[in-house]
Amino acid sequence: MFNTDTLNALRRLLLAMADDHLIIGHRNSEWTGLGPILEEDIAFSSIAQDKIGHALGLYSILNEQLGEADPDTLAFMRNETDFTSCQLVEFPIGEYDFSLVRHLLFDVAALIRFEDASHSAYDPLAKLARKVKGEIKYHVFHASTFVKQLGQGNEESKARMQSAFNQNMALALGMFESFEGEALLVQQGIYKGEAAIRTAWLGEISAILQEAGLQMPDVDKLEPVYGGRKGFHTEFLQPLLDEMTEVFRIDPAAEW
Amino acid sequence: MNIQSLDPRVTRLGIDAEEKNPDQTLQREEHWETYQVFHQKKRGEKHSSVGVVHAPNAEMALLFAKEQYARRGETVNLWIVNTRDVLAMDYDDYDVFSTTPEKMYRDPAGYKVNEKIAAFKKAQLDV
């Protein structure tokens, strides 16, 4: 029912979303066992695990509906330049402030994307979105509660939150890099479109920052870090892929 | 010289290794209140006490309770209550309960009503 150009644009969208979720899920799982307190360690690890689940859901649509390779092959056997994740997600976890703020910036966008996708004209995506948007709602609740708590904490926590936002913001704007055929998806009610998601996202983020007593960086003066959607990555992605695929590559045909 | 631990949370506290009582410093830095967690499986059912979380405030307690106590199985709702707000009896007063196990006449098993109910139902049917 969709023409070839639309289907190709759909493949690009789903792959970008899946890669974003896989890479941030892997990154955030690096905190497992090192979280600031036991309860948070468990919560942050679960959230990371959810992200891998969302990536699997998206790769499965590509595989089952759109003729792409199976999810394991897509996740573990592609080259670095085949990944279309934004650069925000590949940066190392840094200190907890960096990871926490990235988690907020990413998940507020993810919630907008999935809430809109739950009415998508492309049914497999709409079905997945309806299934997982509750999980992402918790992820946003988690991130925003933490950011508000630390933004209103002591001088050090406030300063560290602010500097984490300043560090993350240009990278986060890179999430909204447009891709070939995007307009076709918007016209046909399949996807909200990056520009509209970015606008909604800016509104949500500045409201949360205001509540947290933090300053919204001046986004008009920032150069968004684009390139990820076209396969251009920083030096941080390849080592992540090496580690993530280490066990899989020992025996790709193994049954798990 | 601060204590260097394999646990980064300990290292981060910057506790002086020479300090006589490092445990007290740990408690002072990490002391949060506890919140009791109540879990509801289905709407209309009661919330049941399932355990405790440590948190700096109620909202964060709810955040942690979700992953501690509602990470598997069914859940529709959670409550958290600051442990400070729970009025509990003193264990020294346990003697107020000491004779209740003997009061079998308060135990519903003590009533032989099943036969009467069966007879009543039969009578209703016969009418």
Side-chain angles (χ1 to χ4, degrees), chain A residues 10-11 37 73 110 119 142 176 190 208 212 215 228-229 235 246:
Chain A
L10 195 51
R11 285 189 184 94
I37 53 151
T73 304
H119 319 288
H142 176 272
F176 311 110
I190 295 170
I208 293 167
Q215 292 291 321
R229 301 281 180 243
E235 75 266 31
E246 194 182 351

Side-chain angles (χ1 to χ4, degrees), chain B residues 111-124:
Chain B
Y111 295 96
K112 299 271 184 282
V113 292
N114 280 346
E115 283 170 25
K116 284 182 191 166
I117 291 171
F120 175 76
K121 281 184 177 164
K122 191 168 178 297
Q124 294 291 303

Side-chain angles (χ1 to χ4, degrees), chain A residues 122-224:
Chain A
Y122 183 61
D123 210 42
L125 177 60
K127 249 163 109 177
L128 176 71
R130 284 196 290 273
K131 185 179 164 194
V132 305
K133 69 187 167 83
E135 285 182 6
I136 305 171
K137 210 194 232 180
Y138 172 73
H139 300 175
V140 170
F141 173 53
H142 176 272
S144 58
T145 306
F146 254 93
V147 167
K148 284 176 208 165
Q149 174 77 17
L150 292 169
Q152 295 159 355
N154 61 23
E155 222 167 293
E156 188 195 351
S157 73
K158 196 179 166 91
R160 290 182 66 157
M161 280 292 105
Q162 187 64 58
S163 98
F165 271 103
N166 300 345
Q167 252 182 303
N168 265 294
M169 200 51 97
L171 282 166
L173 292 170
M175 290 190 286
F176 311 110
E177 179 176 356
S178 75
F179 56 91
E180 198 189 329
E182 190 193 329
L184 289 172
L185 301 182
V186 177
Q187 280 161 21
Q188 293 171 79
I190 295 170
Y191 187 53
K192 192 180 176 82
E194 300 300 337
I197 294 170
R198 179 187 145 126
T199 305
W201 177 85
L202 283 172
E204 302 267 342
I205 295 295
S206 58
I208 293 167
L209 281 181
Q210 197 174 14
E211 245 190 285
L214 298 168
Q215 292 291 321
M216 180 78 175
D218 185 354
V219 292
D220 296 329
K221 290 198 177 129
L222 292 171
E223 185 72 42

Side-chain angles (χ1 to χ4, degrees), chain A:
Chain A
M1 81 187 213
F2 299 118
N3 69 24
T4 315
D5 286 346
T6 306
L7 289 173
N8 281 334
L10 195 51
R11 285 189 184 94
R12 273 181 218 111
L13 169 68
L14 295 174
L15 194 64
M17 282 173 77
D19 289 349
D20 275 359
H21 282 78
L22 178 68
I23 302 301
I24 201 156
H26 185 83
R27 272 293 180 230
N28 287 345
S29 78
E30 292 173 22
W31 278 110
T32 300
L34 305 172
I37 53 151
L38 177 68
E39 283 89 343
E40 171 60 1
D41 195 311
I42 295 170
F44 208 65
S45 300
S46 292
I47 290 171
Q49 204 175 37
D50 288 347
K51 294 299 180 210
I52 307 291
H54 302 168
L56 174 63
L58 293 158
Y59 287 134
S60 298
I61 297 176
L62 282 162
N63 174 229
E64 289 160 16
Q65 313 290 331
L66 297 164
E68 297 294 317
D70 68 284
D72 277 355
T73 304
L74 288 173
F76 298 132
M77 298 297 279
R78 281 180 303 148
N79 292 323
E80 184 226 23
T81 49
D82 298 331
F83 275 82
T84 57
S85 41
C86 59
Q87 293 185 9
L88 170 75
V89 294
E90 69 204 40
F91 269 69
I93 53 176
E95 298 269 331
Y96 214 66
D97 47 17
F98 180 84
S99 283
L100 207 53
V101 167
R102 170 167 61 181
H103 158 43
L104 178 78
L105 297 174
F106 181 84
D107 276 303
V108 169
L111 187 59
I112 297 167
R113 266 182 233 279
F114 276 97
E115 273 182 346
D116 178 74
S118 67
H119 319 288
S120 171
Y122 183 61
D123 210 42
L125 177 60
K127 249 163 109 177
L128 176 71
R130 284 196 290 273
K131 185 179 164 194
V132 305
K133 69 187 167 83
E135 285 182 6
I136 305 171
K137 210 194 232 180
Y138 172 73
H139 300 175
V140 170
F141 173 53
H142 176 272
S144 58
T145 306
F146 254 93
V147 167
K148 284 176 208 165
Q149 174 77 17
L150 292 169
Q152 295 159 355
N154 61 23
E155 222 167 293
E156 188 195 351
S157 73
K158 196 179 166 91
R160 290 182 66 157
M161 280 292 105
Q162 187 64 58
S163 98
F165 271 103
N166 300 345
Q167 252 182 303
N168 265 294
M169 200 51 97
L171 282 166
L173 292 170
M175 290 190 286
F176 311 110
E177 179 176 356
S178 75
F179 56 91
E180 198 189 329
E182 190 193 329
L184 289 172
L185 301 182
V186 177
Q187 280 161 21
Q188 293 171 79
I190 295 170
Y191 187 53
K192 192 180 176 82
E194 300 300 337
I197 294 170
R198 179 187 145 126
T199 305
W201 177 85
L202 283 172
E204 302 267 342
I205 295 295
S206 58
I208 293 167
L209 281 181
Q210 197 174 14
E211 245 190 285
L214 298 168
Q215 292 291 321
M216 180 78 175
D218 185 354
V219 292
D220 296 329
K221 290 198 177 129
L222 292 171
E223 185 72 42
V225 180
Y226 290 145
R229 301 281 180 243
K230 296 189 176 68
F232 298 110
H233 296 287
T234 63
E235 75 266 31
F236 303 121
L237 183 59
Q238 188 58 54
L240 180 150
L241 296 176
D242 291 342
E243 189 189 272
M244 185 174 73
T245 59
E246 194 182 351
V247 176
F248 185 82
R249 284 173 190 270
I250 294 170
D251 183 2
E255 294 277 335
W256 292 89

Side-chain angles (χ1 to χ4, degrees), chain A residues 31 33-43 46 49 138 141-142 145-146 149, chain B residues 6 8-9 12 30 32 52-54 56-57 59-60 62-64 66-68 71:
Chain A
W31 278 110
L34 305 172
I37 53 151
L38 177 68
E39 283 89 343
E40 171 60 1
D41 195 311
I42 295 170
S46 292
Q49 204 175 37
Y138 172 73
F141 173 53
H142 176 272
T145 306
F146 254 93
Q149 174 77 17
Chain B
L6 288 175
R9 290 166 289 198
R12 221 179 288 144
E30 297 232 301
W32 282 354
V52 176
V53 286
H54 282 89
N57 62 32
E59 201 183 16
M60 304 261 317
L62 202 51
L63 194 66
F64 293 145
K66 190 263 177 189
E67 283 304 329
Q68 302 298 296
R71 53 189 282 104

